[in-house]
């Protein structure tokens, strides 16, 4: 006898990612070990906005030990501004710098017994390639030259995703647990009041709503559709590890499966 069909919706599943390795020399911003015990994917700084060889090696080793996926978090060359300053980089030069960053991280990832499994732009570059087709194409060119058909993690509907899909690269839609959205589904610039969601309860509630309803409320009150396979908690937020743990616990309690996308 065939079991009766059900109309139950599919179980929601989300990857939980955070920016790691964001230090330089004796300066350390992110609590890498604590975050690696919570997240399923690690966006590792590749030396252009943060990170140095020893930090990259250490984070890759810890990620491999924890079974956390390693992603190259590529950036404009902007250590002083933490990669958050707007820059105009010629497309050919930007493509070279993307390839360079992925290659540097890949050496450490493979030495640790793992590999780079995806690419995510950081900061000003992330925001730029949402709407700038030329810069988006340069990022994709750099990813293609690095090889391996790496998935590109970014904002759904962005020019970056359009360029990556056209080039045959997998695209992964990302949402943000701790950042405010505009009515257009983009991130509110950090310089504006309210750009960062205050309080862990609000962040957890938003994360669960993204997973179950694929929606957020914009800073200006509009309801915005946000589909995502990966959810980001910023590693440089004060108390980021504790916040990420609360987000994960909240997702699991709501029946959301937390699982890497690669």
């Amino acid at each position: 006898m065939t079991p009766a069909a059900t109309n139950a919706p599919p179980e929601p599943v989300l990857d939980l990612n955070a920016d790691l390795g964001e230090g330089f020399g004796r300066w350390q911003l992110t609590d890498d070990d604590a975050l690696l015990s919570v997240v399923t994917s690690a966006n590792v700084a590749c030396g252009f906005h943060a990170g140095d060889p020893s930090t990259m090696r250490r984070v890759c080793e810890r990620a491999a030990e924890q079974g956390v996926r390693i992603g190259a978090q590529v950036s404009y060359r902007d250590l002083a501004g933490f990669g958050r300053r707007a820059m105009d980089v010629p497309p050919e030069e930007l493509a070279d710098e993307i390839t360079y960053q992925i290659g540097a991280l890949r050496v450490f990832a493979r030495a640790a017994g793992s590999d780079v499994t995806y690419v995510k732009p950081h900061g000003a570059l992330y925001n730029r390639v949402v709407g700038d087709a030329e810069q988006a194409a340069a990022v994709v060119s750099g990813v293609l030259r690095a090889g391996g058909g790496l998935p590109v993690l970014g904002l759904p509907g962005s020019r970056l995703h359009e360029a990556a899909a056209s080039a045959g690269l997998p695209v992964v839609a990302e949402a943000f647990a701790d950042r405010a959205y505009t009515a257009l589904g983009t991130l509110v610039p950090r310089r504006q009041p309210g750009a960062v969601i205050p309080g862990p309860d609000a962040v957890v509630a938003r994360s669960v709503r993204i997973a179950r309803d694929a929606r957020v409320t914009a800073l200006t009150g509009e309801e915005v559709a946000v589909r995502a396979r990966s959810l980001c908690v910023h590693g440089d937020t004060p108390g980021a590890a504790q916040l990420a743990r609360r987000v994960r616990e909240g997702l699991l309690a709501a029946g959301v499966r937390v699982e890497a996308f690669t």
Side-chain angles (χ1 to χ4, degrees):
M1 185 172 179
T2 304
T6 67
N7 294 319
E11 179 185 26
V13 56
L14 268 184
D15 168 67
L16 191 60
N17 79 73
D19 306 339
L20 299 179
E22 291 184 327
F24 195 82
R26 297 178 62 184
W27 173 67
Q28 183 174 337
L29 179 63
T30 49
D31 189 348
D32 296 329
D33 288 348
L35 281 164
L36 284 169
S37 70
V38 180
V39 301
T40 48
S41 296
N43 318 315
V44 184
C46 300
F48 272 33
H49 76 280
D52 57 42
S54 293
T55 301
M56 293 162 69
R57 173 191 57 76
R58 185 168 57 251
V59 173
C60 286
E61 289 174 350
R62 299 291 188 274
E65 291 168 2
Q66 297 278 359
V68 174
R69 303 297 191 269
I70 297 170
Q73 188 167 40
V74 296
S75 172
Y76 287 128
R77 189 190 293 268
D78 181 26
L79 276 175
F82 198 60
R84 287 179 175 161
R85 297 186 294 189
M87 304 184 78
D88 288 313
V89 180
E92 193 170 300
E93 182 179 335
L94 178 59
D96 290 341
E97 293 186 343
I98 298 302
T99 303
Y100 179 92
Q101 291 176 79
I102 296 169
L105 186 65
R106 176 173 277 152
V107 169
F108 290 112
R110 288 180 174 174
S114 185
D115 207 344
V116 173
T117 60
Y118 67 96
V119 177
K120 174 185 172 179
H122 166 80
L125 181 59
Y126 188 101
N127 293 323
R128 180 73 171 266
V129 296
V130 169
D132 189 318
E134 185 177 60
Q135 294 280 281
V139 171
V140 169
S141 293
V143 175
L144 288 170
R145 188 161 45 215
L150 293 170
V152 176
L153 179 61
L155 208 66
S158 63
R159 290 300 182 94
L160 175 64
H161 272 189
E162 290 176 5
S166 294
L169 293 174
V171 296
V172 182
E174 179 179 37
F176 290 82
D178 51 6
R179 289 291 308 279
Y181 279 80
T182 71
L184 297 176
T186 58
L187 298 181
V188 174
R190 281 183 176 268
R191 65 180 178 275
Q192 292 187 18
V196 178
I197 303 300
D201 291 342
V203 173
V204 172
R206 164 172 288 218
S207 301
V208 170
R209 191 174 184 220
I210 288 171
R212 299 193 65 85
D213 302 332
R215 302 187 74 79
V216 297
T217 302
L219 186 62
T220 46
E222 297 88 350
E223 289 296 297
V224 180
V226 176
R227 75 179 162 80
R229 176 61 178 84
S230 187
L231 184 70
C232 178
V233 177
H234 280 92
D236 63 324
T237 301
Q242 293 83 357
L243 180 61
R245 189 172 299 281
R246 284 202 54 183
V247 167
R248 180 167 183 147
E249 290 170 351
L251 291 171
L252 293 173
V256 179
R257 195 165 80 250
V258 179
E259 184 178 285
F261 60 82
T262 57

